[in-house]
């Protein structure tokens, strides 16, 4: 995304947020609400971390949609797991999600849209629990459910790049070490220390 493209995309996204918010508010007052939550697997054409973060934020800030997770696919591609409140029109939801991807990153417009799919085993009536078929606890044991044959999730090398938990010992208003992250591993011998001679 070029610097000149950001204001145009921002204006378009603001309009989409207003339209989606109006739809959610209007549906709240309908006698027969149109809400039918679904969980969508959305393979992406964008590849850079900046694009992925930007699209994830754009989808999540738009009322009615939420990026619940990102998975690595074969070939270095990524897939979003998107929760959509108005899932009765699956094709319309997918069209709007891929339109957002194309507007944010115009370079992907000429690439064919990957096939999005619905996680059929998702039950919006059941709250998350470790025995459910969707979620990291279930994925660890059995993988993502109901993936089409065209989608293969692989281990993501970025998952090892985890921010360590902050130290819990000490603390208090005057403690300068409160919240300092402590590493158990010694510093590598080949790392040069910053020294002022």
């Amino acid at each position: 995304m070029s610097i000149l493209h950001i204001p145009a995309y921002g204006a378009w996204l603001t309009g989409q947020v207003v339209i989606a918010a109006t739809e959610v508010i209007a549906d709240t007052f309908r006698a027969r609400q149109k809400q039918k939550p679904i969980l969508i697997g959305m393979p992406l054409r964008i590849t850079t971390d900046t694009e992925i973060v930007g699209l994830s934020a754009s989808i999540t800030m738009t009322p009615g949609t939420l990026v619940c997770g990102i998975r690595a696919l074969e070939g270095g591609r990524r897939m979003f797991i998107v929760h959509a409140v108005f899932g009765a029109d699956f094709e319309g939801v997918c069209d709007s999600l891929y339109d957002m991807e194309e507007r944010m990153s115009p370079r992907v417009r000429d690439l064919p849209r990957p096939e999005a799919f619905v996680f059929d085993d998702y039950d919006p009536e059941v709250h998350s629990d470790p025995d459910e078929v969707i979620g990291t606890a279930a994925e660890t044991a059995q993988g993502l459910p109901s993936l089409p044959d065209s989608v293969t999730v692989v281990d993501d090398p970025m998952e090892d790049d985890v921010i360590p938990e902050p130290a819990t010992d000490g603390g208090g208003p005057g403690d300068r070490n409160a919240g300092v992250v402590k590493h158990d591993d010694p510093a590598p011998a080949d790392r040069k220390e910053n020294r002022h001679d």
Side-chain angles (χ1 to χ4, degrees):
M1 182 186 309
S2 71
I3 302 253
L4 298 175
H5 181 68
I6 292 172
Y9 178 71
W12 175 82
L13 181 60
T14 301
Q16 295 306 300
V17 169
V18 170
I19 290 168
T22 304
E23 183 180 355
V24 169
I25 291 168
D27 193 60
T28 302
F29 294 106
R30 285 191 184 105
R32 293 185 178 182
Q33 293 183 343
K34 295 182 177 182
Q35 297 179 19
K36 181 187 179 251
I38 60 171
L39 204 58
I40 300 171
M42 178 189 174
L44 303 173
R45 294 168 290 175
I46 56 175
T47 55
T48 70
D49 289 343
T50 303
E51 291 172 326
I52 289 169
V53 168
L55 183 60
S56 175
S58 298
I59 291 171
T60 299
M61 75 171 57
T62 306
T65 55
L66 172 72
V67 174
C68 302
I70 303 171
R71 299 296 180 271
L73 301 178
E74 283 184 324
R77 296 181 325 148
R78 299 284 178 101
M79 174 181 75
F80 281 167
I81 300 173
V82 180
H83 183 269
V85 173
F86 299 103
D89 180 13
F90 172 70
E91 296 298 325
V93 171
C94 291
D95 188 50
S96 67
L97 292 172
Y98 282 121
D99 182 51
M100 185 178 284
E101 180 186 35
E102 291 165 0
R103 287 178 182 270
M104 190 199 75
S105 184
R107 69 178 178 79
V108 302
R109 284 189 180 138
D110 295 333
L111 300 175
R113 288 183 174 180
E115 183 180 339
F117 59 93
V118 175
F119 288 98
D120 292 324
D121 297 334
Y122 171 68
D123 184 358
E125 301 296 322
V126 178
H127 294 291
S128 298
D129 67 59
D131 298 325
E132 199 42 50
V133 294
I134 298 293
T136 53
E139 285 181 39
T140 302
Q142 62 203 39
L144 286 167
S146 58
L147 289 173
D149 293 335
S150 62
V151 175
T152 303
V153 175
V154 296
D155 287 335
D156 188 350
M158 293 304 291
E159 287 182 9
D160 292 336
D161 187 20
V162 180
I163 298 172
E165 293 292 323
T168 56
D169 56 335
D175 188 354
R176 295 179 64 188
N177 293 322
V180 173
V181 176
K182 296 181 181 178
H183 298 277
D184 294 332
D185 298 332
D190 61 342
R191 187 168 74 188
K192 295 178 182 176
E193 297 293 329
N194 292 333
R195 294 185 181 151
H196 300 287
D197 294 327

